[in-house]
Amino acid sequence: MILDLERFRAQARPRWSKLEALLSALESRPDRRLQPAEAEQLQELYAQTAADLNRVTHGALAPELRQYIERLVARAYAELYYSPPTRSKIWQPRRGLRILTEFPEAFRRQYRHFALALLITVLGSALGGFAVRYDPASVDVLLPADYLRNPGQRVDQESKGQNRHLDSAQIEAAFSAQLITHNIQVALLAAALGATFGIGTALLLFENGVLLGAVAVRYTQQGFGLFVTAWLLPHGAFEIPSILIAGQAGFYLARLLLRRPEDRDMRRAMHEWLLLVGGLALMLVWAGLMEAFFSQHHAPVLPYGLKVAVGAGELVLLTTYLLLIGRRGTIAEDHANAPLESK
Amino acid sequence: MSDLQSTRSPTTAELTIATPEGVLFRLPLAGVAPRLYAMLFDAAIVLGTVNGLGWLIYAIFAKAPGFGAMFITLAEFAIGFAYGALMEGYWNGQTIGKRLFHLRVIDQTGLPLRMEQAWVRNLMRVFDALPLAYLVGGVSVLCSPLRQRFGDRVAGTVVVRETPLPGPGEESWTRQKYNSFMNYPAVAMRLRRAATPELASLIQDALRRRNELAPYARREIYRELAAYLQSEVASFPDELVEMLSDEQYLINAVGALFGDQRLSKL
C-alpha cells in the first residue's frame, strides 16, 4: 500500500514536534531526572515515533523523512536507556583523590599482569647484561649514546661539574617537565600497545630491559657501580616500576581483547585500565622531579651514599603503598573479588 | 529491506541498532576525511590555547623563564589529552571540531558516550597516531566495518555523522495550489489504483532528486516516466498533456497519487 506521505506528515508532525521539544529540553540538561509523567510521555512518543519509522520504512521512499524520524528515534532511545551521572556525581572534588587508594587496589588485582611485565623486563635486562659482559662488540649496538658507552668520561664530566645545574633551578624545572611528558608518553604507549594483543607491550618492555641491563653491567664493569646506582636509583625507584605498571596495563588490555565480546565487562575494564594509567602518570611526575632536581647532582655535592639511601627509601615506601594502601584484604581475596577479566 | 538498502550509497557505512522493543534504526558512520578535518580543527584550537597560555605564563614568570617553560610544557601535554576527553565526556560526544563538522562520538550500542570511554579513546591516540600522521588509526578506520580506530575499538565507541536534516515539512513540489489532473477525477482515480507502490515511489524519488541529476539525464528520465504513465497506466486527454512539460506531468501525477486529499473523498 502506498503511504499518503502528506497526510502521514500532517498527522504525525505534532507528536514529532512534541518529542523533539522534550528531547531538546532533556539534552540541554544532562543531569536532569525525568518526572514520572515526563517519562511516561517520552515512552509513549518514542513508541509512536518508532511505529512511524516502521511505516515510512515499508510504505514509501522518503529518505530525508526516514532519516529525520530515525534520528528522533535514536535520540529518544538514548534518553530512555542511558542513565547519566547526576551533577553530584560529576562534581565531587574528593572523588579525584580516591585514585590514591583505588590505584594500589587495581595494581594488586592485576598482579599477574605485573608479574609478566616484570619477567619480560628481567629477561631483557639479563640479555643486555650478558651481551655487554661476554660480547664487547655488542656495546656499540646496545648503547649507541656516547655517555652510556664511556662511563669514565661521563663520571669525569659530572665530577668536574660540567653537567651540574645546581646554579640553575630554572633549567632543572624545564628539564623536569620534558622528562615527565616524555616518560608519560612512553608509558602510555606501552599501556596502549596492549591493543596489539600485548606483542607491542612485550617488545617495548624487553627493549627497555635490554638497555637497563647493558648500562648497569657496562658501568659496573668499569668500576662505576656505585655511581650508576646513585645516579639512577632516586628517580628509577619510581620510573622503572611505573613502566612495569604500564606493561601491566597493556597486558591487562590484551587479555581483555582476547576474550569473547560477550564475556567482557568493558565498563569495569576501562575503569581498571584508567586507574593503572592514572596511577603510573602520578608516579612519573614524581620521578621526573627527582630526576631533574636530585639525580643529576653527584658527589661531592650530594654524597652517593645519601642518594642511594634516598632511592632505597623511595622503593620501600612505594612497595608499602602498592601492597598495603586501599581496601584491606589479602591478594587472594582481592583476586576472588576481581573483575571478570582478571580471572 | 533490500529495496531500502539499494536507495543508499553502498559506500556509506551505518551502525544498525536493534532496540529491546524490536525497533531498528540506523546511524550513518563518519569516514576518515571529516574526522581528519575535525581533528585538525581541534588541534588548531589546542595550539591556540597553549600559545595564548604560553604568553600569559611567560608574562607571569618573566624573571624565571625556566619555570615558565616547565608550566607550558606540562600544560601543553595535559591540554592535548584532556581537551578531547573532557569535551567529549561533558559535551555529549562532541568537541568543537566535531560539532563544526557534524560528528558525534557515541557508544556502539547507540547510547551516549560515558566519561571513561572518552578518556580511553583519547589516551589511545598515542597508539593510533603511530608511526606518523595517524596512519595506524586511519588504516584501522578503513578496515573496520564500524569505522573504528583502535581507540574506538577498545572504548567500544563509534563516530557518527549528524548532518543537519530538513524538518518533516512538505516538499515544495507537492505544494502546488492547482493540479490540472483533478479536473479529470476518473482518470486520476484510475492512475491511483493502477500505479504500484514501486512505480509511485520511483516517480517520487525521481522528482526529489531533480537537482542531483544532470539536465540531459533529468529530461530523458522524466520523458520516459511520463510516457509510460500516459500510455500504460492512465491516459489523460491529449489537449491537457500537450500543455504540460514532462516534469509538470509527473508533479501532477505525484499530487494525485500521494498528496491531494480530494481524491480520497471520491
Side-chain angles (χ1 to χ4, degrees):
Chain A
M1 183 192 162
I2 298 170
L3 181 66
D4 185 336
L5 268 183
E6 295 319 308
R7 185 189 286 183
F8 173 64
R9 274 200 186 96
Q11 285 173 347
R13 196 180 293 125
R15 59 174 171 266
W16 296 339
S17 304
K18 210 183 286 181
L19 179 59
E20 203 165 2
L22 184 59
L23 289 170
S24 298
L26 290 171
E27 286 164 357
S28 64
R29 288 186 55 196
D31 62 311
R32 185 176 160 219
R33 293 282 163 186
L34 281 172
Q35 299 299 317
E38 282 178 322
E40 207 171 306
Q41 189 190 20
L42 179 61
Q43 173 66 44
E44 193 182 329
L45 289 169
Y46 166 67
Q48 288 171 348
T49 311
D52 291 339
L53 176 61
N54 200 35
R55 287 183 71 190
V56 93
T57 300
H58 297 292
L61 264 181
E64 290 89 0
L65 181 64
R66 186 197 152 102
Q67 281 176 12
Y68 170 78
I69 303 175
E70 249 175 352
R71 196 172 291 174
L72 267 185
V73 170
R75 286 168 67 193
Y77 168 73
E79 284 298 328
L80 277 170
Y81 285 92
Y82 177 69
S83 56
T86 58
R87 187 170 289 276
S88 61
K89 275 185 195 166
I90 293 172
W91 301 108
Q92 276 187 344
R94 279 189 192 174
R95 202 161 173 241
L97 294 176
R98 287 221 313 254
I99 190 178
L100 296 176
T101 55
E102 288 180 356
F103 164 55
E105 289 168 9
F107 169 80
R108 291 196 293 271
R109 276 195 296 272
Q110 309 306 331
Y111 74 95
R112 289 195 296 187
H113 299 117
F114 180 81
L116 180 59
L118 181 64
L119 177 69
I120 290 171
T121 304
V122 168
L123 285 175
S125 300
L127 180 75
F130 275 112
V132 170
R133 173 76 179 79
Y134 297 107
D135 180 18
S138 66
V139 171
D140 290 342
V141 179
L142 296 179
L143 301 172
D146 194 47
Y147 71 95
L148 293 174
R149 231 175 13 242
N150 301 306
Q153 188 186 338
R154 174 64 188 244
V155 175
D156 190 45
Q157 281 178 350
E158 295 294 342
S159 60
K160 286 177 182 167
Q162 288 175 4
N163 296 330
R164 198 172 298 158
H165 308 306
L166 262 186
D167 55 333
S168 177
Q170 289 193 50
I171 292 173
E172 288 169 353
F175 182 46
S176 73
Q178 284 171 6
L179 291 170
I180 290 168
T181 53
H182 172 262
N183 289 344
I184 291 177
Q185 260 176 334
V186 172
L188 253 181
L189 183 62
L193 279 171
T196 60
F197 303 107
I199 296 166
T201 305
L203 289 174
L204 204 144
L205 287 174
F206 192 77
E207 185 202 5
N208 205 40
V210 167
L211 186 67
L212 207 61
V215 168
V217 170
R218 181 73 174 168
Y219 272 69
T220 310
Q221 257 183 341
Q222 301 198 3
F224 302 111
L226 181 62
F227 171 83
V228 79
T229 309
W231 182 30
L232 297 181
L233 197 59
H235 63 275
F238 271 68
E239 192 176 292
I240 294 168
S242 69
I243 296 295
L244 293 175
I245 292 171
Q248 178 185 26
F251 290 133
Y252 173 69
L253 183 62
R255 179 90 190 274
L256 186 79
L257 295 178
L258 285 169
R259 285 184 173 277
R260 289 181 304 176
E262 55 270 28
D263 291 344
R264 299 174 192 162
D265 180 355
M266 287 308 288
R267 193 166 183 178
R268 290 189 71 170
M270 275 186 269
H271 187 69
E272 194 87 337
W273 190 82
L274 285 173
L275 275 176
L276 293 172
V277 170
L280 74 87
L282 292 177
M283 285 169 62
L284 285 171
V285 170
W286 176 253
L289 292 173
M290 284 301 285
E291 184 169 359
F293 288 97
F294 192 81
S295 296
Q296 304 300 327
H297 304 298
H298 305 281
V301 178
L302 284 175
Y304 290 148
L306 173 70
K307 290 181 74 180
V308 173
V310 168
E314 281 179 289
L315 209 51
V316 170
L317 281 175
L318 180 66
T319 309
T320 309
Y321 169 71
L322 289 174
L323 294 182
L324 298 178
I325 298 298
R327 192 165 49 82
R328 294 291 167 90
T330 64
I331 286 176
E333 283 169 1
D334 278 348
H335 183 56
N337 297 325
L340 186 67
E341 312 77 54
S342 66
K343 292 178 187 171
Chain B
M1 195 67 189
S2 58
D3 287 343
L4 285 167
Q5 283 167 349
S6 66
T7 65
R8 298 274 179 126
S9 160
T11 55
T12 306
E14 290 173 332
L15 172 70
T16 304
I17 304 290
T19 71
E21 303 89 0
V23 180
L24 274 180
F25 62 87
R26 300 172 306 178
L27 297 166
L29 295 167
V32 173
R35 291 175 69 167
L36 182 67
Y37 301 148
M39 195 190 71
L40 291 175
F41 192 85
D42 286 328
I45 290 176
V46 170
L47 277 177
T49 308
V50 168
N51 278 323
L53 200 66
W55 283 105
L56 189 70
I57 289 173
Y58 270 124
I60 294 170
F61 290 92
K63 291 183 179 172
F67 287 107
M70 178 176 122
F71 279 113
I72 288 169
T73 307
L74 292 177
E76 186 179 2
F77 185 71
I79 291 171
F81 281 108
Y83 168 80
L86 293 178
M87 288 293 286
E88 287 171 6
Y90 284 118
W91 214 23
N92 201 4
Q94 287 188 311
T95 57
I96 296 171
K98 285 194 174 71
R99 189 158 200 150
L100 193 72
F101 288 93
H102 309 294
L103 306 175
R104 190 186 292 279
V105 188
I106 61 167
D107 188 289
Q108 63 186 16
T109 60
L111 296 177
L113 184 76
R114 293 189 309 272
M115 184 54 90
E116 61 265 28
Q117 289 177 299
W119 274 106
V120 168
R121 75 183 297 280
N122 278 287
L123 291 175
M124 287 292 292
R125 283 183 192 281
V126 290
F127 177 50
D128 279 311
L130 291 177
L132 54 98
Y134 276 82
L135 197 64
V136 167
V139 171
S140 172
V141 168
L142 291 175
C143 297
S144 156
L146 291 180
R147 301 280 184 266
Q148 292 171 300
R149 60 176 175 85
F150 274 99
D152 288 316
R153 290 174 198 227
V154 173
T157 53
V158 289
V159 184
V160 295
R161 279 190 289 120
E162 286 196 339
T163 38
L165 291 175
E170 292 175 2
E171 283 161 290
S172 58
W173 42 268
T174 65
R175 279 201 302 257
Q176 55 177 346
K177 286 181 181 168
Y178 175 71
N179 184 348
S180 55
F181 282 9
M182 290 303 119
N183 294 337
Y184 303 90
V187 188
M189 198 64 191
R190 200 180 315 138
L191 168 68
R192 189 158 188 173
R193 285 189 181 140
T196 61
E198 289 76 20
L199 178 62
S201 295
L202 183 68
I203 301 166
Q204 198 183 25
D205 211 33
L207 286 172
R208 187 175 284 119
R209 295 184 180 179
R210 68 185 301 279
N211 293 328
E212 297 167 27
L213 298 170
Y216 173 76
R218 191 166 83 203
R219 201 165 53 240
E220 283 302 299
I221 290 169
Y222 288 0
R223 187 182 59 75
E224 282 183 28
L225 280 172
Y228 178 78
L229 280 181
Q230 180 67 11
S231 62
E232 304 293 330
V233 184
S235 298
F236 287 92
D238 288 342
E239 62 269 24
L240 169 65
V241 174
E242 282 168 8
M243 289 163 59
L244 299 175
S245 67
D246 292 328
E247 184 171 339
Q248 188 59 50
Y249 183 97
L250 294 178
I251 290 171
N252 285 5
V254 166
L257 282 168
F258 291 99
D260 205 296
Q261 303 298 311
R262 281 172 291 175
L263 274 185
S264 306
K265 292 173 192 162
L266 289 174

